[in-house]
Amino acid sequence: MIKMGKHRESSYSGLAAPAALGALRDAGITKDEVGAVFCGHAFGGMLTGQRIVKELGIGDVPVTNVDNACSGGATAVHLAVRAIEDGHCDIALVIGVDKLTQFGGGTLPLVQEDPEVQNGIVMPAVYAMRARRFLHERDATVEDLAAVSVKARRHGAANPYAQFQSEVTVEQVLDSRPIADPLTLMQCCPTGDGAAAVVLMSERERKRRGAQGMRAAASVLHSGQFEAGFRDMLRPEISYHSARDAYEAAGFGPEDLDVVELHDAFTIAELVYYEALGLCEPGESVGLLRDGRTAYGGDVVVNPSGGLLSKGHPVGASGVAQVVEALWHLTDRAGARQVENAQRALTHVTGGGIAGLDHGACTIHLFERTA
């Protein structure tokens, strides 16, 4: 991946090409060996993938562009897994890219035909309501919400690809500018630009090449179920169901995970997703955080990259960047943030912003170290 940040002068091709070339080089793949390309993005416009691979010199292969909001990049990975499993190709290149500085700041634009958007809903407000409900129902404080950012920044400080690489205190987080009560600026992921890329190949091809990598043990994509009226904001069914199906497909569970990269677009999301992903029982997420069980030295390291809160969230790139992070840990290449003896990892990203759905899409991948 490239360093996440504000690359105002870069085009989508300019952002994505270095990441894609790096992935091909890392895998020992030439451009002529790529059998299919999948490109996840949200705001790149028409034929984003084709514009990128043109610069790479890749042609005559199917290029699929994927828009699934924040889950676009992860959905592209899912489609590549399926293409290889179904025998359509042996080697696929997946690219995730987005450039959010094109909007000049502020919240991400949502679809105006949506009735909640017409009434002024924005994503920080959605998560603020979720946080309010969490503080009401759980034994939690605003300091607990801030502690998620503290952990994220501590992890991100060791990540050269993160947009923010400095530690913060609970007091600094709570004193930062109010965004949507109770969330402050440091409890919201930064907007920015970025790109990430991965090469997927069949097991037969990997063994033939003797390539180092990790195995995709499960790849699950769900869309949301519409419900009119009340919905439980602390029980995102789409993530619960996706996690259940992923664990069943992989043959191992949350207790076996060493690394988790989850969708922490706002601090409250991490606490809610601890429960949805089965890292703890409902109602126990605050204790998990307070006891340090999701940091280095704990049960499972959640967001060793610093997560979206530190790394940034260039929407279409985020799901692919999570997979890159998992790969680096499962191949002992994560540098100063390496999770010791990491054997299994989970990546989780959602895409939302539709009335009546807790999210529009959720993609979960489970990976394990290969011999």
Side-chain angles (χ1 to χ4, degrees):
M1 73 179 85
I2 66 170
K3 184 181 186 302
M4 307 302 179
K6 300 188 186 301
H7 303 283
R8 292 185 175 87
E9 303 305 315
S10 291
S11 64
Y12 268 72
S13 297
L15 291 169
L21 290 171
L24 293 172
R25 185 168 54 250
D26 184 64
I29 300 297
T30 68
K31 62 183 181 182
D32 296 327
E33 294 176 300
V34 175
V37 177
F38 298 86
C39 179
H41 66 94
F43 302 107
M46 197 176 296
L47 299 177
T48 299
Q50 284 85 344
R51 300 197 322 260
I52 294 167
V53 299
K54 177 190 73 171
E55 301 299 328
L56 303 178
I58 296 175
D60 290 333
V61 300
V63 177
T64 303
N65 290 287
V66 184
D67 170 13
N68 235 354
C70 304
S71 197
T75 302
V77 174
H78 173 77
L79 292 176
V81 170
R82 290 287 171 263
I84 292 172
E85 287 181 340
D86 293 343
H88 296 302
C89 64
D90 274 321
I91 300 173
L93 172 65
V94 178
I95 301 166
V97 59
D98 254 318
K99 182 178 178 180
L100 304 187
T101 54
Q102 64 185 294
F103 300 116
T107 61
L108 292 180
L110 302 178
V111 178
Q112 287 302 311
E113 68 184 45
D114 187 275
E116 290 185 356
V117 174
Q118 292 171 10
N119 282 283
I121 201 70
V122 290
M123 295 313 294
V126 172
Y127 282 92
M129 288 190 285
R130 185 170 283 177
R132 272 284 158 221
R133 194 69 200 175
F134 189 88
L135 294 176
H136 175 72
E137 292 192 14
R138 303 285 200 264
D139 180 23
T141 66
V142 292
E143 286 77 14
D144 292 315
L145 296 176
V148 175
S149 278
V150 172
K151 177 178 73 68
R153 290 293 193 97
R154 185 169 65 247
H155 290 181
N159 184 3
Y161 296 92
Q163 191 165 337
F164 295 142
Q165 297 176 28
S166 60
E167 297 193 35
V168 296
T169 65
V170 167
E171 292 74 24
Q172 287 175 311
V173 174
L174 294 178
D175 288 342
S176 61
R177 177 163 57 89
I179 298 299
D181 189 51
L183 302 179
T184 60
L185 183 64
M186 288 187 183
Q187 296 184 61
C188 309
C189 64
T191 59
D193 314 317
V198 291
V199 169
L200 286 84
M201 64 180 70
S202 65
E203 181 65 6
R204 177 182 67 252
E205 188 69 22
R206 186 190 73 84
K207 286 183 176 179
R208 185 180 74 82
R209 294 170 175 271
Q212 184 184 34
M214 63 184 182
R215 186 178 80 89
S219 178
V220 171
L221 168 65
H222 277 199
S223 60
Q225 175 64 47
F226 176 78
E227 292 184 17
F230 172 81
R231 58 185 185 266
D232 187 347
M233 299 190 81
L234 301 188
R235 187 175 176 83
E237 293 295 335
I238 191 171
S239 290
Y240 274 88
H241 294 164
S242 298
R244 175 201 63 202
D245 291 351
Y247 293 135
E248 181 178 343
F252 57 83
E255 68 280 359
D256 299 309
L257 298 173
D258 302 297
V259 174
V260 170
E261 282 282 318
L262 58 75
H263 188 106
D264 63 330
F266 301 86
T267 52
I268 180 59
E270 180 161 327
L271 294 170
V272 170
Y273 290 139
Y274 285 173
E275 300 175 7
L277 299 177
L279 303 183
C280 66
E281 293 297 319
E284 297 180 358
S285 57
V286 172
L288 201 69
L289 178 72
R290 289 176 179 172
D291 293 343
R293 293 166 59 195
T294 57
Y296 286 85
D299 300 345
V300 55
V301 183
V302 174
N303 292 342
S305 68
L308 308 184
L309 288 167
S310 285
K311 189 167 74 258
H313 186 22
V315 185
S318 293
V320 184
Q322 290 178 334
V323 175
V324 174
E325 183 74 13
L327 173 67
W328 286 341
H329 285 280
L330 296 190
T331 54
D332 298 321
R333 292 184 290 163
R337 63 190 186 284
Q338 177 66 47
V339 175
E340 185 177 357
N341 195 32
Q343 300 295 315
R344 294 188 174 97
L346 175 149
T347 66
H348 158 269
V349 63
T350 62
I354 303 176
L357 304 179
D358 63 54
H359 283 104
C362 176
T363 315
I364 289 181
H365 286 96
L366 290 169
F367 299 104
E368 58 186 357
R369 184 185 288 257
T370 57

